[in-house]
């Protein structure tokens, strides 16, 4: 929980600006002059106005990135790492401001110590560890080796649910490899990314290395993978939009990585610590109001403990306090009206589909909630694996309990969705943990933890419709490089 903060207080920081985006080291409006409002999801008040960037702005950003590329690419790796370490230090100094910006933007309460500086430092440490290989040759007068080189100008599109960490993941790794980047944050939550970009420039990262274009996905976002000057793309978002981005990348024959969400199972066996499991699962599904791709939204539980688990989950979820981010609460609002309508629609689908509504399913009332996009933690029981709420990503604090009879059925239900991002197993038996870790189709498997978290440098990414490619791991920087093979034969001269 966080201390009560005046939500109307002005943050005393140069990191806030109105109607500007970063192109070539300059804070500029959109070429069209149009703007978009950034709305506080807790009360629908206007937080800021940002440029409504579009293809012309992306083109200007790509040109700026192309101008900056030769100098940045040829800066030695140790020097690049030093600038990233300096960026991390400034991020750490401004951690409270960055956290408040994201809280206002997204509507979430304080999460705890900020991970952003540590994320940048982890990547900075990889920067001068990018190495090629010595290769065998057929002739002793030929030397063979590989070089790891940046792609050039790259692009990224990030969502609104965790804009600070998403920005850091994409930008730090891409520029550490020697690329320059054009990135579009979500129009609903651009403030923390813009502030992080300002701190990067304050750290000495040259103009044009990082360019931030704000605007709508269909305009500014679509222009990134469609631009012929972009050589690689990173995208995090919905499968539908990811498919569109992939089609654009295919037309330009450029690689990309996709992280497209999940429908993560929480598989509970009879020997599990049920008290710990229930509390962790309830916390996981209500953290950020369930707007986390890794959220464990399906509880696949052995029938012998089914009723006890439901009771424990209901108790834990009833204890989750809801309200504006600046109050002492556990859960804030959903990001916007569209998302609120989406979540309420899924709740209605759960009722209509025959699931038992145990808890929630409505919106809280009272003066603290006003016009905000709030919804109460919601628990459904006796959910069939083929129900809409069991198959589709809701991206809200909605938990479905699915009883099963044995381990094999648990595996079938857990894997029986299009997604494969995160899965969790709750058991005290090592053999069960090993079997399930291998059987579950997910990019991350947590044993006795709810979000697959807690590992420093664990590669993050999905199976199946959750996307492909990995971020955050020991290869984060390497993933933004391409390999060149060099075959070197010395000139033949007569020996005197």
């Amino acid at each position: 929980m966080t201390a009560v903060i005046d939500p109307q207080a002005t943050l005393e920081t140069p990191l806030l600006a109105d109607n500007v985006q970063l192109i070539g080291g300059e804070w500029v409006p959109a070429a069209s002059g149009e703007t978009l409002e950034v709305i506080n999801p807790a009360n629908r008040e206007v937080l800021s106005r940002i440029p409504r960037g579009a293809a012309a702005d992306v083109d200007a950003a790509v040109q700026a990135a192309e101008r900056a590329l030769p100098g940045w690419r040829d800066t030695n790796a140790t020097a690049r790492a030093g600038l990233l370490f300096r960026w991390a230090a400034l991020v750490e100094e401004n951690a409270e401001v960055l956290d408040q910006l994201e809280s206002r933007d997204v509507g979430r309460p304080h999460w705890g110590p900020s991970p952003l500086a540590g994320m940048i430092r982890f990547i900075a440490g990889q920067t001068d560890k990018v190495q090629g290989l010595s290769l065998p040759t057929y002739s002793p007068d030929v030397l063979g080796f590989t070089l790891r080189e940046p792609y050039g100008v790259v692009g990224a599109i990030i969502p609104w649910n965790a804009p600070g960490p998403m920005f850091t993941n994409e930008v730090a790794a891409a520029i550490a490899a020697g690329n320059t980047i054009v990135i579009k944050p979500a129009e609903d939550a651009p403030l923390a990314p813009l502030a992080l970009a300002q701190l990067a420039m304050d750290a000495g990262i040259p103009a044009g290395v990082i360019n931030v274009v704000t605007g709508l996905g269909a305009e500014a976002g679509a222009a990134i993978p469609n631009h012929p000057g972009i050589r690689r793309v990173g995208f995090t978002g919905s499968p539908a939009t990811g498919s569109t981005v992939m089609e654009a990348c295919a037309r330009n024959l450029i690689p990309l990585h996709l992280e497209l969400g999940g429908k993560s199972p929480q598989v509970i066996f009879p020997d599990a610590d049920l008290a710990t499991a229930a509390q962790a699962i309830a916390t996981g599904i209500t953290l950020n109001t369930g707007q986390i791709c890794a959220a464990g939204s399906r509880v696949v539980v052995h029938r012998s403990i089914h009723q006890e688990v439901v009771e424990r989950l209901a108790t834990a979820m009833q204890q989750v306090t809801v309200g504006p981010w600046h109050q002492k609460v556990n859960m804030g609002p959903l990001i916007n009206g569209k998302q609120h309508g989406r979540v309420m629609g899924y709740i209605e689908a759960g009722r209509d589909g025959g699931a038992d509504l145990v808890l929630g399913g409505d919106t809280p009332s009272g003066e603290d909630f006003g016009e905000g996009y709030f919804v109460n933690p919601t628990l459904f029981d006796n959910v069939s694996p083929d129900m809409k709420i069991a198959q589709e990503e809701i991206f809200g604090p909605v938990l479905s309990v699915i009883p099963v009879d044995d381990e094999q059925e648990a595996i079938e239900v857990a894997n029986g969705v299009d997604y494969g991002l995160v899965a969790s197993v709750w058991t005290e038996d090592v053999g069960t943990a090993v079997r399930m870790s291998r059987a579950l189709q997910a990019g991350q498997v947590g044993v006795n933890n709810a979000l697959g978290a807690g590992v420093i440098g664990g590669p993050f990414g999905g199976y199946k419709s959750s996307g492909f490619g990995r971020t955050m791991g020991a290869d984060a920087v390497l993933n933004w490089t391409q390999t060149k093979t060099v075959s070197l034969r010395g000139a033949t001269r007569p020996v005197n």
Side-chain angles (χ1 to χ4, degrees):
M1 294 185 186
T2 182
V4 175
I5 299 171
D6 180 0
Q8 305 302 329
T10 301
L11 293 177
E12 298 298 328
T13 171
L15 302 181
L16 280 174
D18 218 30
N19 190 25
V20 290
Q21 57 190 348
L22 182 62
I23 298 178
E26 300 293 330
W27 292 100
V28 297
S32 67
E34 294 185 62
T35 64
L36 298 168
E37 292 180 341
V38 180
I39 303 298
N40 183 340
N43 55 24
R44 305 195 198 186
E45 293 180 355
V46 177
L47 287 171
S48 181
R49 288 175 174 82
I50 57 170
R52 183 174 176 172
D57 303 273
V58 169
D59 185 60
V62 170
Q63 291 183 44
E66 288 173 339
R67 291 191 296 270
L69 178 62
W72 182 247
R73 177 193 61 209
D74 296 339
T75 298
N76 75 73
T78 299
R80 289 202 303 269
L83 291 172
L84 264 71
F85 278 120
R86 192 179 303 170
W87 184 23
L90 291 178
V91 168
E92 188 167 59
E93 289 176 17
N94 290 273
E96 183 177 354
V97 170
L98 291 167
D99 183 70
Q100 285 195 35
L101 282 175
E102 187 158 307
S103 288
R104 294 178 187 217
D105 241 359
V106 180
R108 64 160 178 80
H110 176 61
W111 279 359
S114 172
L116 299 180
M119 293 165 64
I120 298 172
R121 288 193 180 102
F122 180 80
I123 290 170
Q126 298 179 35
T127 305
D128 55 5
K129 313 300 187 298
V130 176
Q131 300 170 343
L133 296 172
S134 173
L135 303 174
T137 62
Y138 288 104
S139 172
D141 59 356
V142 174
L143 181 64
F145 57 92
T146 60
L147 298 174
R148 285 279 194 169
E149 296 184 334
Y151 283 93
V153 178
V154 299
I157 305 166
I158 60 173
W160 43 258
N161 59 319
M166 297 285 186
F167 182 91
T168 301
N169 274 339
E170 298 285 16
V171 171
I175 70 171
N179 302 285
T180 55
I181 191 167
V182 178
I183 184 168
K184 192 203 87 71
E187 62 271 19
D188 292 294
L191 301 185
L194 290 167
L196 284 163
Q198 176 64 65
L199 291 173
M201 288 204 305
D202 292 346
I205 293 173
V209 172
I210 301 172
N211 303 273
V212 186
V213 177
T214 59
L216 300 173
E219 298 171 355
I224 289 178
N226 279 300
H227 197 288
I230 297 288
R231 302 313 312 153
R232 188 183 190 272
V233 171
F235 173 81
T236 301
S238 71
T241 306
S243 178
T244 301
V245 171
M246 191 171 179
E247 289 173 2
C249 289
R251 286 192 294 271
N252 287 336
L253 297 177
I254 58 173
L256 78 160
H257 71 256
L258 295 174
E259 197 276 275
L260 304 177
K263 191 67 179 174
S264 301
Q266 301 277 339
V267 184
I268 309 179
F269 288 95
D271 63 342
D273 180 342
L274 299 186
T276 299
Q279 185 59 60
I281 292 169
T283 299
I285 195 62
T286 56
L287 184 69
N288 206 26
T289 321
Q291 299 168 127
I292 297 178
C293 55
S297 56
R298 294 182 297 145
V299 178
V300 182
V301 57
H302 194 279
R303 203 173 298 276
S304 65
I305 54 169
H306 166 220
Q307 193 58 44
E308 181 180 356
V309 166
V310 170
E311 291 171 359
R312 288 182 179 274
L313 287 171
T315 298
M317 293 177 75
Q318 283 173 332
Q319 295 171 352
V320 174
T321 55
V322 182
W325 70 272
H326 58 278
Q327 294 185 359
K328 292 182 178 179
V329 297
N330 306 116
M331 193 178 90
L334 295 161
I335 186 68
N336 55 33
K338 179 181 178 181
Q339 184 63 13
H340 188 269
R342 172 186 169 87
V343 171
M344 296 307 295
Y346 274 105
I347 291 172
E348 189 63 28
R351 288 194 181 100
D352 293 344
D356 298 331
L357 180 64
V358 177
L359 183 72
D362 56 356
T363 58
S365 59
E367 62 180 20
D368 287 339
F369 302 103
E371 297 295 314
Y373 302 113
F374 294 94
V375 62
N376 282 316
T378 298
L379 176 63
F380 280 105
D381 189 19
N382 292 314
V383 175
S384 171
D386 59 354
M387 285 183 185
K388 185 175 182 178
I389 59 171
Q391 287 289 319
E392 299 180 16
E393 185 177 42
I394 298 173
F395 227 53
V398 181
L399 193 61
S400 296
V401 178
I402 306 171
V404 295
D405 290 316
D406 54 36
E407 182 176 315
Q408 186 56 43
E409 186 181 3
I411 293 170
E412 292 171 0
V413 170
N415 291 339
V417 295
D418 291 336
Y419 295 100
L421 188 59
V422 175
S424 291
V425 181
W426 297 87
T427 180
E428 296 296 314
D429 184 81
V430 174
T432 302
V434 170
R435 290 192 305 275
M436 293 298 294
S437 295
R438 291 186 180 277
L440 292 170
Q441 297 168 357
Q444 294 73 223
V445 176
V447 178
N448 297 323
N449 63 75
L451 293 174
V455 177
I456 297 172
F460 188 85
Y463 284 19
K464 302 190 291 186
S465 293
S466 287
F468 48 80
R470 296 294 182 268
T471 61
M472 297 192 289
D475 294 334
V477 177
L478 287 178
N479 290 337
W480 288 95
T481 66
Q482 52 192 337
T483 301
K484 176 185 287 182
T485 300
V486 178
S487 175
L488 175 62
R489 184 190 295 273
T492 304
R493 294 182 180 178
V495 179
N496 295 327

